[in-house]
Amino acid sequence: MSTPSSDLLICGGGIAGKACALALAQIGLQVTLLGARPAAALPTQGYAQRLYALNAASRQLLEELRVWPQMPPERIQPVQAMHIRADGAQLAFDARDARSEALAWIVESDAIETALDLALRFERRVVIDPAQAARLQRQPAAAGWQVQTDDGRTLQAALLIGADGEHSLVRKVSGIAMDTHDYLQRGVVANFLCAAPHEGAAFQTFADGGVIALLPLAPLQGRPMVSLVWSAPEALALELLDLSPEALAQRVEAHLPALRAQHLGPLQATGPAAAWRLQLQLARRTVADGLVLIGDAAHRVHPLAGQGLNLGLQDVQVLARTLQQRGAGQAVHDPRLLRRYSRARAEQVLALATTTDALARLYAAGSRVPGPLRALGLQTANALPPVRQLLTRYASGLPYLA
C-alpha cells in the first residue's frame, strides 16, 4: 500500500526528530515523522534518570517552537555557576560571564518530549506515524526516497532526514561511514537529596576514577537535590551499578571534598543508578543525495561538557533556517542547500568533539601529561576573565547561530 508523499520524511521519533518535525512544519513544509512514540509520564516521586543541560541556543529553539512554556517550570533548574576542579586547580564559570540568566537549564528528557508531543498534536503539517522504517531506497533522479515500513506500507519523500540515533538505519543505507572511538567508560547517573542548598551551582572534578559531576536539580518537596553524572571506566561503572542506593551515596560523598561540595552531604539516593556506554562518533558526512543526518545519527560526544542533545537541537535550528532561506522554486533536497547546511554545522561539531575528546584523554587513567602541567592550564584559564567569557559564550551555542 502506498502513502502520498511529503516534502520531508524524518526517521526517528526522539527529541531531535520531534523538534525537527515541528521546526520544519512551522516554516510551511509538509512532514512525516516516522517511528515516534509518546513520551513516558514524568515520575510522581523524584526525577527521571535521563536529564539534559540545555544551553541558551537550545532554549531559544524550544521557545521559538512554543515548547518551552509547556514544560513544568517547577521541574526546571537554572545553572548559575559551574565549578571545575582537578590537580589542585580550579576553573569557575558564572552566568554573568555569558551575560545570561543561566549557564544552562537542567530538564528531564521526558519533560521535553511531553511538551514536544503536545505541540505536535496541534501541528497540521506533521503526520505522526508510529511505524518503523524497514527498508529505504533512493529513487532515480528527483523522485526522492522510498521508505517501506514494518507494517507493509510504502512512503515517499523528496528529502529524508535521519534522526534515528547512534545505530542509524538511514546512515547505514546511505553508505556514510562513522568514525568511532570507544572510551571504555559508562556514564553512571543517579539522583540524590542533599543536606544543603546547591544555590544553582554545578560541580565537576577529574579524578582517577573518571569525571564526576553533580548537577543541581529543582527542589523536591522543598528539599534540595542533585544529579550525579559519573563517567567511569568500565570496571568501576559495573561496580557502582552493583551498589545499593545507600552505598552509592556513600561512594559519591567520598568525592565531595574533591568537588569542594562538602556542604551538600550527607546525600540520600532517591533510586537506583543507571548507565550508558560512552563513545565518540562522527559521521564523515552529514548530507548525501536527498539526505541529511542530525542528532546522534550524525555525532555523539563525551558527556563531560553536557552538549550532546544541544548539538542535535542546533542541527534542527540550522537546518530549519537553511531550508527557510531557500530561493523561490528551489527544492528542499537541492544539493546546494544541503551542502550549505553541512558547512554551517561542521565547525561547531568538530570543535566540540575535538575539545571534549582531548579533555577526556588528558584526564584519563594513564595520561602522560603531568598533573602540574594540567593544573597550570586550568589556573591560567581561570585567571583570565576574557578566556572564561569566551568559553562560556561558545558553550551557549549562540555564536554558531549568528
Side-chain angles (χ1 to χ4, degrees):
M1 182 173 66
S2 181
T3 300
S5 63
S6 299
D7 293 322
L8 307 106
L9 191 149
I10 300 172
C11 284
I15 292 177
K18 289 177 179 179
C20 190
L22 195 57
L24 298 181
Q26 290 184 3
I27 64 171
L29 297 171
Q30 297 293 327
V31 182
T32 297
L33 178 60
L34 195 63
R37 295 286 191 276
L42 291 170
T44 56
Q45 299 292 327
Y47 287 92
Q49 290 173 320
R50 189 174 282 275
L51 300 117
Y52 292 109
L54 298 180
N55 65 13
S58 293
R59 174 171 176 168
Q60 180 187 87
L61 172 65
L62 295 176
E63 286 178 336
E64 290 170 356
L65 298 180
R66 298 184 289 278
V67 167
W68 186 267
Q70 304 308 317
M71 294 190 292
E74 70 277 7
R75 300 180 77 97
I76 300 174
Q77 174 62 51
V79 179
Q80 302 294 340
M82 179 77 182
H83 304 287
I84 302 172
R85 291 179 172 84
D87 301 313
Q90 68 171 357
L91 176 59
F93 296 101
D94 190 277
R96 290 170 294 184
D97 293 330
R99 299 176 184 174
S100 173
E101 62 180 279
L103 293 172
W105 292 263
I106 308 298
V107 189
E108 293 158 290
S109 173
D110 294 332
I112 303 171
E113 281 210 64
T114 298
L116 285 167
D117 288 346
L118 179 63
L120 286 167
R121 195 180 308 161
F122 296 99
E123 181 48 72
R124 292 178 296 175
R125 294 187 183 92
V126 177
V127 174
I128 299 176
D129 193 328
Q132 299 291 327
R135 187 168 179 267
L136 310 174
Q137 185 174 1
R138 176 67 178 158
Q139 300 299 292
W145 284 85
Q146 185 180 87
V147 180
Q148 293 183 357
T149 63
D150 57 4
D151 58 3
R153 291 173 294 122
T154 300
L155 309 178
Q156 304 280 346
L159 178 63
L160 181 64
I161 299 176
D164 48 345
E166 60 181 297
H167 304 297
S168 171
L169 174 64
V170 175
R171 188 183 66 237
K172 180 180 178 182
V173 170
S174 70
I176 295 176
M178 177 74 89
D179 292 323
T180 300
H181 172 72
D182 193 328
Y183 291 108
L184 303 178
Q185 296 178 338
R186 295 194 189 193
V188 179
V189 297
N191 299 327
F192 301 91
L193 292 165
C194 45
H198 48 60
E199 299 181 341
F203 303 89
Q204 186 176 68
T205 187
F206 295 85
D208 291 339
V211 184
I212 304 172
L214 290 178
L215 306 178
L217 294 178
L220 179 67
Q221 298 177 344
R223 296 190 62 184
M225 290 193 66
V226 292
S227 179
L228 168 74
V229 183
W230 190 332
S231 302
E234 184 78 13
L236 175 58
L238 295 176
E239 179 186 336
L240 295 172
L241 290 171
D242 281 341
L243 295 175
S244 67
E246 295 76 18
L248 178 62
Q250 292 176 359
R251 286 290 289 271
V252 178
E253 283 178 32
H255 290 278
L256 291 181
L259 290 159
R260 297 288 179 89
Q262 299 97 314
H263 62 288
L264 298 181
L267 302 176
Q268 179 184 338
T270 60
W276 290 269
R277 291 190 65 84
L278 303 184
Q279 292 182 323
L280 171 66
Q281 293 184 319
L282 291 178
R284 293 185 183 177
R285 292 180 293 146
T286 56
V287 301
D289 193 9
L291 178 146
V292 176
L293 299 177
I294 66 170
D296 284 359
H299 40 68
R300 292 181 67 214
V301 299
H302 196 285
L304 63 85
Q307 293 295 314
L309 178 61
N310 291 312
L311 282 179
L313 291 177
Q314 283 153 243
D315 291 344
V316 169
Q317 203 162 10
V318 174
L319 180 61
R321 184 180 63 188
T322 302
L323 296 183
Q324 186 176 32
Q325 293 174 348
R326 69 190 188 280
Q330 188 175 20
V332 292
H333 59 285
D334 188 312
R336 292 169 295 177
L337 274 179
L338 303 190
R339 287 195 297 268
R340 188 186 309 164
Y341 162 77
S342 180
R343 289 193 299 269
R345 294 301 296 134
E347 179 187 352
Q348 183 193 21
V349 172
L350 183 59
L352 188 59
T354 302
T355 301
T356 54
D357 182 59
L359 285 171
R361 294 172 188 259
L362 181 64
Y363 286 96
S367 171
R368 297 182 179 181
V369 180
L373 187 58
R374 296 185 304 208
L376 179 61
L378 212 60
Q379 289 170 337
T380 301
N382 193 63
L384 298 173
V387 173
R388 293 202 315 272
Q389 291 168 7
L390 182 65
L391 292 173
T392 306
R393 176 71 176 162
Y394 274 88
S396 75
L398 294 174
Y400 296 100
L401 301 176

